[in-house]
Amino acid sequence: MNIPQTNKKRIVIIGGGFAGIALAKKLRNKNVQVVLIDKHNYHTFQPLLYQVATGGLEAGSIAYPIRKVIQGYKDFYFRLTSVKEIDTVNQKIISEIGDLYYDYLVIATGSKTNYFGNKEIERNSMSMKTIPQSLNIRSLILENFEQAVLTKDVTESNALINFVLVGAGPTGVELAGALAEMKKAILQKDYPDLDISKMQINLVQSDDRVLSTMSEKSSQAAEKFLLELGVKIWKNVRVTNYDGRTITTDSNLTFETATVIWTAGVQGAVVFGLPASSLVDRVARIRVNQFNQVKGFENVFAIGDIASMETDKFPNGHPMMAQPAMQQGRLLGDNLIQLMSGKKMKPFEYNDKGSMATIGRNLAVVDLPHYHFNGVFAWFVWMFVHLISLIGFKNKAVVFLNWAYNYVRFDREGRLIIRPYKKKSFITFTSDEV
Amino acid sequence: MNIPQTNKKRIVIIGGGFAGIALAKKLRNKNVQVVLIDKHNYHTFQPLLYQVATGGLEAGSIAYPIRKVIQGYKDFYFRLTSVKEIDTVNQKIISEIGDLYYDYLVIATGSKTNYFGNKEIERNSMSMKTIPQSLNIRSLILENFEQAVLTKDVTESNALINFVLVGAGPTGVELAGALAEMKKAILQKDYPDLDISKMQINLVQSDDRVLSTMSEKSSQAAEKFLLELGVKIWKNVRVTNYDGRTITTDSNLTFETATVIWTAGVQGAVVFGLPASSLVDRVARIRVNQFNQVKGFENVFAIGDIASMETDKFPNGHPMMAQPAMQQGRLLGDNLIQLMSGKKMKPFEYNDKGSMATIGRNLAVVDLPHYHFNGVFAWFVWMFVHLISLIGFKNKAVVFLNWAYNYVRFDREGRLIIRPYKKKSFITFTSDEV
């Protein structure tokens, strides 16, 4: 990997998400050598991926070059690669671009979509955990519409503009709302030769309410908002299969659709090489103690979505969200310095600042620890919090400008199929000479 | 193609570039049926592609959804497809999504990169005529740097950060300048473990001056600016081959490089089916008369880059640039209406408003018909003209904001490898355990 050997301790961080970046910032100029590794050369602001998928924002606005984050940090190295395996016996990682020894290893690989072992659903449906995946969804939505205008077969064209979202967590709800707004404000105008009333947005959920991790009040408000926007909500329904055309469920309900977006589950993005005992089986997270130390290791840590710290308050680990990830990253930064100087580490305690989701224009729900509210004010709070959380002044400014424009003009201009998402055509073409 | 048959005349336009869009706008609500066909669902503002390639702008800022351009236009249809062939005998086009009869056909397919028949150069070098191509260049530049930090072999790493641009027209010159600014302002900071002084930008040109279509004064100014920025200019040199590693030329000069960007020639992007006699051989443009009618046809037209209208002033046709394309599109809009009502068409006359190129920060050259100037003021003129020429308020605002930010901060944040440009790795990795 061409990293110089020095007499400083080397900390290797795998992953430049919320947790990894928060940790890296804490380790700035701290008399250690830091190697940050990621598959991408940018940090992704995942909470806004759904806006990239639905044309509200450009990908570049919610991504930030990792090298720019660590610009000027002494003894910091970034490497763009995938880690193939961890070798804890020899204290090294094995990557596509060579091996690297570590003194301290921090696993911050985040999470990936969980299809619960159903390979057919995995093959045929879309997931939305990365920017390329969001851009694929954007392309597919538009490609479906472009195909729908070509056919006189109503069954086909209806399936092409039937969007089924599986999972009604924040991602599913936000996507559903955004699609509903696209339908009303854009697709209707862009495709005048199509009966847009046939466009369906189906939100399918195995739980008995949407946003089941939020308050009852927020769930109810979100459902009301979604229904007003024309989203069909199906509760207590579990999707059993999707063959690329038909969704089957554990009830009589089926859907004919060209597009399934799967947001029904996440699991840890585990790297190979850890002993099985350190893994939490259900969603493949890594078991850590209150210092984020991986079970059985002194110098291997896991933070963020990949880490499962079982506490009294969170018996299944913390929610897989940005807040706990950033807080763990920051604390570990301090703790590593403590550890290296032989001092005591501080146990992690999650400071839950609340959670929120936006459904559409003027419509959001916010749960603060002791207060829940929704509507226009919640929507402004949502926007404000997301704006200030973006890294970098320019991204903030460009996102603000886009949102202001989209709000005033009821528009989303990011409807460009830059890289077609190749999927076999849903319809076949005949030489219908007209 | 599922286009309704009406009693209106059908005009089919192939291509949504400057010419096609200008024509479409003129045909708005004109009692004709218009079908606009393009391979992409967006219009590309090609003069700023080089800024996408060098991270100064996001792709979405210089593209505009074609469906939005024609939103609300009566009897307008957009179809996303490639035209495979024209059948002038049966007056129809044959596309990937079916056939379509026309009453009037307008070919506005633009131009593509001309490798002058050298397949090996074509296979190994990059071109920059479309947004995906620009994004590939962006990815490749950054991937090269990410690879260069990995190797201790100086020959390899030097080749990885040696950028050779072939052709010193506006595109080559603007790219060279932008790369030179990236080197100084960004790459030096982003890659502290690399000897950035080894990064080379070589501009190779078979002519005896850069910007050879502009005034002598502008050429000289541009060369001075480029040299100041550290670009190496090679004049009177013709590239003979590039095997993916070594460039050979008709002189002793050779380059070892991982990146060749070929801007040395363009040719018409011809569709099949026209009689050979209507083609201009040298660069495959279509021969048209002064009404942009294709030689031998009453109802088939060609406009923009693809059209070659040989006049006394322009014996080889007009320059392949946005201005003549837009002017021809607009005039043809009027002329088609005239033609359909049996009235006389107006011959085309190019109103040359001048040309310009930017080299870098505060550095541009402008040729007006009777006045040439360069430097800071020229640079502001360049920015102003390009800003107002972008379609859409939001694109203008976002581009302005980006430019202001980049200017103040000496930065370009679009350095994200969103879609890796797959090329076989230049260097091989050993398990160099450090």
Side-chain angles (χ1 to χ4, degrees), chain A residues 100-159:
Chain A
L100 186 70
Y101 285 113
Y102 60 79
D103 294 303
Y104 297 93
L105 177 66
V106 182
I107 303 166
T109 46
S111 56
K112 58 179 188 177
T113 304
N114 190 353
Y115 292 96
F116 306 105
N118 190 318
K119 291 284 170 203
E120 198 165 4
I121 295 180
E122 184 170 351
R123 200 164 44 242
N124 294 309
S125 67
M126 313 292 289
S127 65
M128 200 184 67
K129 292 290 289 177
T130 67
I131 284 180
Q133 287 172 349
S134 307
L135 292 170
N136 284 344
I137 291 175
R138 181 199 283 191
S139 289
L140 181 63
I141 293 169
L142 297 164
E143 286 166 339
N144 284 341
F145 270 87
E146 294 297 340
Q147 279 193 28
V149 297
L150 299 177
T151 178
K152 289 193 180 72
D153 182 332
V154 181
T155 317
E156 297 287 281
S157 90
N158 285 354

Coordinates of all heavy atoms in Angstrom, one line a residue, chain A residues 100-159:
Chain A
L100 N -1.6 -4.6 4.9 CA -1.1 -3.4 5.8 C -1.2 -3.8 7.2 O -2.3 -4.3 7.7 CB -2.1 -2.2 5.5 CG -1.7 -0.9 6.2 CD1 -0.4 -0.3 5.6 CD2 -2.8 0.1 6.1
Y101 N -0.1 -3.7 8.0 CA -0.1 -4.0 9.4 C -0.8 -2.8 10.1 O -0.8 -1.7 9.7 CB 1.3 -4.1 9.9 CG 1.9 -5.5 9.5 CD1 3.0 -5.5 8.7 CD2 1.4 -6.6 10.1 CE1 3.5 -6.7 8.3 CE2 1.9 -7.9 9.7 CZ 3.0 -7.9 8.8 OH 3.5 -9.1 8.5
Y102 N -1.4 -3.2 11.3 CA -2.0 -2.1 12.1 C -1.6 -2.3 13.5 O -1.3 -3.4 14.0 CB -3.5 -2.1 12.0 CG -4.2 -3.4 12.4 CD1 -4.4 -3.7 13.8 CD2 -4.7 -4.4 11.5 CE1 -5.0 -4.9 14.2 CE2 -5.2 -5.6 11.9 CZ -5.4 -5.8 13.3 OH -6.0 -7.0 13.7
D103 N -1.6 -1.2 14.2 CA -1.5 -1.3 15.7 C -2.9 -1.3 16.3 O -3.2 -2.1 17.2 CB -0.7 -0.1 16.2 CG 0.8 -0.2 15.8 OD1 1.4 -1.2 16.1 OD2 1.2 0.8 15.1
Y104 N -3.7 -0.4 15.7 CA -5.1 -0.4 16.1 C -6.0 -0.5 14.8 O -5.7 0.2 13.8 CB -5.5 0.9 16.9 CG -4.7 1.0 18.2 CD1 -3.5 1.6 18.2 CD2 -5.2 0.4 19.3 CE1 -2.7 1.7 19.4 CE2 -4.4 0.4 20.5 CZ -3.2 1.1 20.5 OH -2.5 1.1 21.7
L105 N -7.0 -1.3 14.9 CA -7.9 -1.4 13.7 C -9.3 -1.0 14.1 O -9.8 -1.4 15.2 CB -7.9 -2.9 13.2 CG -8.9 -3.2 12.1 CD1 -8.4 -2.4 10.8 CD2 -9.0 -4.7 11.8
V106 N -9.9 -0.1 13.3 CA -11.3 0.3 13.5 C -12.1 -0.1 12.3 O -11.9 0.4 11.2 CB -11.4 1.8 13.8 CG1 -12.8 2.2 14.1 CG2 -10.4 2.3 14.9
I107 N -13.1 -0.9 12.6 CA -14.0 -1.4 11.5 C -15.2 -0.4 11.5 O -16.0 -0.3 12.5 CB -14.4 -2.8 11.7 CG1 -13.2 -3.7 11.8 CG2 -15.4 -3.3 10.6 CD1 -13.5 -5.1 12.4
A108 N -15.4 0.3 10.4 CA -16.5 1.2 10.3 C -17.1 1.1 8.9 O -17.4 2.0 8.2 CB -16.0 2.7 10.5
T109 N -17.4 -0.2 8.6 CA -17.9 -0.5 7.3 C -19.3 -0.3 7.0 O -19.8 -0.4 5.9 CB -17.5 -2.0 7.0 OG1 -18.0 -2.8 8.1 CG2 -16.0 -2.2 6.8
G110 N -20.1 0.0 8.1 CA -21.5 0.4 7.9 C -22.4 -0.8 7.6 O -22.1 -1.9 8.1
S111 N -23.4 -0.5 6.9 CA -24.4 -1.6 6.7 C -24.7 -1.7 5.2 O -24.4 -0.9 4.4 CB -25.7 -1.2 7.4 OG -26.2 0.0 7.0
K112 N -25.4 -2.8 4.9 CA -25.8 -3.0 3.5 C -27.3 -3.6 3.5 O -27.8 -3.9 4.6 CB -24.9 -3.9 2.7 CG -24.7 -5.3 3.4 CD -23.8 -6.2 2.6 CE -23.8 -7.6 3.1 NZ -23.0 -8.5 2.3
T113 N -27.9 -3.6 2.3 CA -29.3 -4.0 2.3 C -29.4 -5.5 2.7 O -28.6 -6.3 2.3 CB -29.8 -3.8 0.8 OG1 -29.6 -2.5 0.5 CG2 -31.3 -4.2 0.8
N114 N -30.4 -5.8 3.4 CA -30.7 -7.2 3.9 C -31.9 -7.7 3.1 O -33.0 -7.2 3.3 CB -30.9 -7.2 5.4 CG -31.0 -8.5 6.0 OD1 -30.9 -9.5 5.2 ND2 -31.0 -8.6 7.3
Y115 N -31.7 -8.7 2.3 CA -32.8 -9.4 1.6 C -33.2 -10.6 2.3 O -34.0 -11.4 1.8 CB -32.4 -9.7 0.2 CG -32.1 -8.5 -0.7 CD1 -30.9 -8.0 -0.9 CD2 -33.2 -7.8 -1.3 CE1 -30.7 -6.8 -1.6 CE2 -33.0 -6.7 -2.1 CZ -31.7 -6.2 -2.2 OH -31.5 -5.1 -3.0
F116 N -32.7 -10.8 3.5 CA -33.1 -12.0 4.3 C -32.9 -13.3 3.6 O -33.8 -14.2 3.7 CB -34.5 -11.8 4.9 CG -34.7 -10.5 5.6 CD1 -35.4 -9.5 5.0 CD2 -34.2 -10.3 6.9 CE1 -35.6 -8.3 5.7 CE2 -34.3 -9.1 7.5 CZ -35.0 -8.1 6.9
G117 N -31.9 -13.4 2.8 CA -31.6 -14.6 2.1 C -32.3 -14.9 0.8 O -32.1 -15.9 0.1
N118 N -33.3 -14.0 0.4 CA -34.0 -14.3 -0.8 C -33.2 -13.7 -2.0 O -33.2 -12.5 -2.3 CB -35.4 -13.6 -0.8 CG -36.3 -14.1 -1.9 OD1 -35.8 -14.2 -3.0 ND2 -37.5 -14.3 -1.6
K119 N -32.6 -14.7 -2.7 CA -31.7 -14.3 -3.9 C -32.5 -13.7 -5.0 O -32.0 -12.9 -5.8 CB -30.9 -15.5 -4.3 CG -29.9 -16.0 -3.3 CD -28.7 -15.1 -3.3 CE -27.8 -15.4 -2.2 NZ -26.9 -14.3 -1.8
E120 N -33.8 -14.2 -5.2 CA -34.5 -13.7 -6.3 C -35.0 -12.3 -6.2 O -34.9 -11.5 -7.1 CB -35.8 -14.6 -6.6 CG -36.3 -14.5 -8.0 CD -37.3 -15.6 -8.4 OE1 -37.6 -16.4 -7.6 OE2 -37.7 -15.5 -9.6
I121 N -35.4 -12.0 -4.9 CA -35.7 -10.5 -4.7 C -34.4 -9.7 -4.8 O -34.5 -8.6 -5.5 CB -36.2 -10.4 -3.2 CG1 -37.6 -11.1 -3.1 CG2 -36.4 -8.9 -2.9 CD1 -38.2 -11.0 -1.7
E122 N -33.3 -10.2 -4.3 CA -32.1 -9.4 -4.4 C -31.7 -9.1 -5.9 O -31.3 -8.0 -6.2 CB -30.9 -10.2 -3.7 CG -29.6 -9.5 -3.7 CD -28.6 -10.2 -2.8 OE1 -28.9 -11.1 -2.1 OE2 -27.4 -9.7 -2.9
R123 N -31.9 -10.2 -6.7 CA -31.5 -10.0 -8.1 C -32.4 -9.0 -8.9 O -32.0 -8.3 -9.7 CB -31.6 -11.4 -8.8 CG -30.9 -11.5 -10.1 CD -30.7 -13.0 -10.5 NE -31.9 -13.8 -10.4 CZ -32.0 -14.9 -9.5 NH1 -30.9 -15.2 -8.8 NH2 -33.1 -15.5 -9.5
N124 N -33.7 -9.0 -8.5 CA -34.7 -8.3 -9.3 C -35.1 -6.9 -8.7 O -35.7 -6.1 -9.4 CB -36.0 -9.1 -9.5 CG -35.7 -10.3 -10.3 OD1 -35.2 -10.2 -11.4 ND2 -36.1 -11.5 -9.8
S125 N -34.7 -6.6 -7.5 CA -35.1 -5.4 -6.9 C -34.0 -4.4 -6.7 O -32.8 -4.8 -6.8 CB -35.9 -5.6 -5.7 OG -35.1 -6.1 -4.7
M126 N -34.3 -3.2 -6.5 CA -33.3 -2.1 -6.3 C -33.0 -1.9 -4.9 O -34.0 -1.9 -4.0 CB -33.8 -0.8 -6.9 CG -34.4 -0.9 -8.3 SD -33.2 -1.4 -9.6 CE -32.3 0.2 -9.7
S127 N -31.8 -1.6 -4.5 CA -31.6 -1.1 -3.1 C -31.0 0.3 -3.2 O -30.6 0.8 -4.2 CB -30.7 -2.1 -2.4 OG -29.4 -2.1 -3.0
M128 N -30.9 0.9 -2.1 CA -30.5 2.4 -2.1 C -29.6 2.7 -0.9 O -30.0 3.4 0.0 CB -31.7 3.2 -2.1 CG -31.4 4.6 -2.6 SD -32.9 5.7 -2.5 CE -33.1 5.8 -0.8
K129 N -28.4 2.1 -0.9 CA -27.5 2.4 0.2 C -26.3 3.2 -0.3 O -25.5 3.7 0.6 CB -27.0 1.1 0.8 CG -28.0 0.2 1.5 CD -28.4 0.9 2.8 CE -27.4 0.8 3.9 NZ -27.8 1.5 5.1
T130 N -26.1 3.3 -1.6 CA -25.0 4.1 -2.1 C -25.4 5.0 -3.2 O -26.5 4.9 -3.7 CB -23.9 3.1 -2.7 OG1 -24.5 2.6 -3.9 CG2 -23.5 2.0 -1.8
I131 N -24.5 5.9 -3.6 CA -24.9 6.9 -4.6 C -25.1 6.2 -6.0 O -26.1 6.5 -6.6 CB -23.8 8.0 -4.7 CG1 -24.0 9.0 -3.5 CG2 -23.9 8.8 -6.0 CD1 -23.0 10.1 -3.4
P132 N -24.2 5.3 -6.4 CA -24.5 4.6 -7.7 C -25.9 3.9 -7.6 O -26.6 4.0 -8.6 CB -23.3 3.6 -7.8 CG -22.2 4.3 -7.1 CD -22.8 5.0 -5.9
Q133 N -26.2 3.3 -6.5 CA -27.5 2.7 -6.4 C -28.7 3.7 -6.6 O -29.7 3.4 -7.2 CB -27.7 1.9 -5.1 CG -26.8 0.6 -5.1 CD -26.8 0.0 -3.7 OE1 -27.3 0.6 -2.7 NE2 -26.3 -1.2 -3.6
S134 N -28.5 4.9 -6.0 CA -29.5 5.9 -6.1 C -29.7 6.4 -7.5 O -30.8 6.6 -8.0 CB -29.2 7.1 -5.2 OG -28.9 6.8 -3.9
L135 N -28.5 6.5 -8.2 CA -28.6 6.9 -9.6 C -29.2 5.9 -10.4 O -29.9 6.2 -11.4 CB -27.2 7.3 -10.1 CG -26.6 8.5 -9.4 CD1 -25.1 8.7 -9.8 CD2 -27.3 9.8 -9.8
N136 N -29.0 4.6 -10.1 CA -29.6 3.5 -10.8 C -31.1 3.6 -10.7 O -31.9 3.4 -11.6 CB -29.2 2.2 -10.3 CG -27.8 1.8 -10.9 OD1 -27.3 2.4 -11.8 ND2 -27.1 0.9 -10.2
I137 N -31.6 3.9 -9.5 CA -33.0 4.0 -9.3 C -33.6 5.2 -10.1 O -34.6 5.1 -10.7 CB -33.3 4.2 -7.7 CG1 -33.0 2.9 -7.0 CG2 -34.8 4.6 -7.5 CD1 -33.2 3.0 -5.5
R138 N -32.9 6.3 -10.1 CA -33.3 7.5 -10.8 C -33.4 7.1 -12.3 O -34.5 7.4 -13.0 CB -32.3 8.6 -10.7 CG -32.7 9.8 -11.4 CD -31.5 10.8 -11.7 NE -31.2 11.5 -10.5 CZ -30.3 12.5 -10.5 NH1 -29.8 12.9 -11.6 NH2 -30.0 13.2 -9.4
S139 N -32.4 6.4 -12.8 CA -32.4 6.0 -14.2 C -33.6 5.1 -14.5 O -34.3 5.3 -15.5 CB -31.1 5.4 -14.6 OG -30.1 6.3 -14.7
L140 N -33.8 4.1 -13.6 CA -34.8 3.1 -13.8 C -36.2 3.8 -13.8 O -37.1 3.4 -14.7 CB -34.8 2.0 -12.8 CG -35.8 0.9 -12.9 CD1 -35.6 0.2 -14.3 CD2 -35.7 -0.1 -11.8
I141 N -36.5 4.7 -12.9 CA -37.8 5.3 -12.9 C -38.1 6.0 -14.2 O -39.1 5.8 -14.8 CB -37.8 6.4 -11.7 CG1 -37.7 5.7 -10.4 CG2 -39.1 7.3 -11.8 CD1 -37.5 6.7 -9.2
L142 N -37.1 6.7 -14.7 CA -37.3 7.5 -15.9 C -37.3 6.5 -17.2 O -38.1 6.7 -18.1 CB -36.2 8.5 -16.1 CG -36.2 9.6 -15.0 CD1 -34.8 10.3 -15.0 CD2 -37.3 10.6 -15.2
E143 N -36.5 5.5 -17.1 CA -36.5 4.5 -18.2 C -37.9 3.9 -18.3 O -38.4 3.6 -19.4 CB -35.4 3.5 -18.1 CG -34.0 4.0 -18.4 CD -32.9 3.1 -17.9 OE1 -33.2 2.3 -17.0 OE2 -31.8 3.2 -18.4
N144 N -38.5 3.6 -17.1 CA -39.8 3.0 -17.1 C -40.8 3.9 -17.8 O -41.7 3.4 -18.6 CB -40.2 2.7 -15.7 CG -39.5 1.5 -15.1 OD1 -39.0 0.7 -15.8 ND2 -39.5 1.4 -13.8
F145 N -40.7 5.1 -17.5 CA -41.7 6.1 -18.1 C -41.5 6.2 -19.6 O -42.4 6.2 -20.4 CB -41.6 7.4 -17.5 CG -42.5 7.6 -16.3 CD1 -42.1 7.2 -15.0 CD2 -43.8 8.0 -16.5 CE1 -43.0 7.2 -14.0 CE2 -44.7 8.1 -15.4 CZ -44.3 7.7 -14.1
E146 N -40.2 6.2 -20.0 CA -39.9 6.3 -21.4 C -40.4 5.0 -22.2 O -40.8 5.1 -23.3 CB -38.4 6.4 -21.7 CG -37.8 7.8 -21.2 CD -38.4 9.0 -21.9 OE1 -39.0 8.8 -23.0 OE2 -38.3 10.1 -21.4
Q147 N -40.4 3.9 -21.5 CA -40.9 2.7 -22.1 C -42.4 2.7 -22.1 O -43.0 2.2 -23.0 CB -40.4 1.4 -21.3 CG -39.0 1.0 -21.7 CD -38.7 -0.4 -21.2 OE1 -39.5 -1.2 -21.0 NE2 -37.4 -0.7 -20.9
A148 N -43.0 3.2 -21.0 CA -44.4 3.2 -20.9 C -45.1 3.9 -22.0 O -46.2 3.5 -22.5 CB -44.9 3.7 -19.5
V149 N -44.5 5.0 -22.5 CA -45.2 5.8 -23.6 C -45.1 5.0 -24.9 O -45.8 5.4 -25.8 CB -44.5 7.2 -23.8 CG1 -44.6 8.1 -22.6 CG2 -43.0 7.1 -24.2
L150 N -44.4 4.0 -24.9 CA -44.2 3.3 -26.2 C -45.2 2.2 -26.5 O -45.3 1.7 -27.6 CB -42.8 2.6 -26.3 CG -41.6 3.6 -26.2 CD1 -40.3 2.8 -26.2 CD2 -41.6 4.6 -27.3
T151 N -45.9 1.8 -25.4 CA -46.8 0.6 -25.6 C -48.3 1.0 -25.5 O -48.7 1.8 -24.7 CB -46.4 -0.5 -24.6 OG1 -47.3 -1.6 -24.7 CG2 -46.5 0.1 -23.1
K152 N -49.1 0.3 -26.3 CA -50.5 0.5 -26.2 C -51.1 -0.6 -25.3 O -52.3 -0.5 -24.9 CB -51.1 0.3 -27.6 CG -50.8 1.4 -28.6 CD -51.7 1.3 -29.8 CE -51.5 2.4 -30.8 NZ -50.2 2.3 -31.5
D153 N -50.3 -1.5 -24.8 CA -50.7 -2.6 -23.9 C -50.8 -2.0 -22.5 O -49.8 -1.7 -21.9 CB -49.7 -3.7 -24.0 CG -50.1 -4.9 -23.1 OD1 -50.8 -4.7 -22.1 OD2 -49.8 -6.0 -23.4
V154 N -52.1 -1.8 -22.0 CA -52.3 -1.1 -20.8 C -51.7 -1.9 -19.6 O -51.1 -1.3 -18.6 CB -53.8 -0.8 -20.5 CG1 -54.0 -0.1 -19.2 CG2 -54.3 0.0 -21.7
T155 N -51.8 -3.2 -19.6 CA -51.2 -4.0 -18.5 C -49.7 -3.8 -18.4 O -49.2 -3.6 -17.3 CB -51.4 -5.5 -18.8 OG1 -52.7 -5.7 -19.3 CG2 -51.2 -6.4 -17.6
E156 N -49.1 -3.7 -19.6 CA -47.6 -3.5 -19.6 C -47.3 -2.1 -19.0 O -46.4 -1.9 -18.2 CB -47.1 -3.6 -21.0 CG -47.2 -5.0 -21.6 CD -46.3 -6.0 -21.0 OE1 -45.1 -6.0 -21.4 OE2 -46.7 -6.8 -20.2
S157 N -48.0 -1.1 -19.6 CA -47.7 0.3 -19.2 C -48.0 0.5 -17.7 O -47.3 1.2 -17.1 CB -48.3 1.3 -20.2 OG -49.5 1.7 -19.8
N158 N -49.1 -0.1 -17.3 CA -49.4 0.1 -15.8 C -48.3 -0.5 -15.0 O -47.9 0.0 -13.9 CB -50.7 -0.6 -15.5 CG -51.9 0.3 -16.0 OD1 -51.7 1.4 -16.5 ND2 -53.1 -0.2 -15.9
A159 N -47.8 -1.7 -15.4 CA -46.7 -2.3 -14.6 C -45.5 -1.5 -14.6 O -44.7 -1.4 -13.6 CB -46.4 -3.7 -15.1

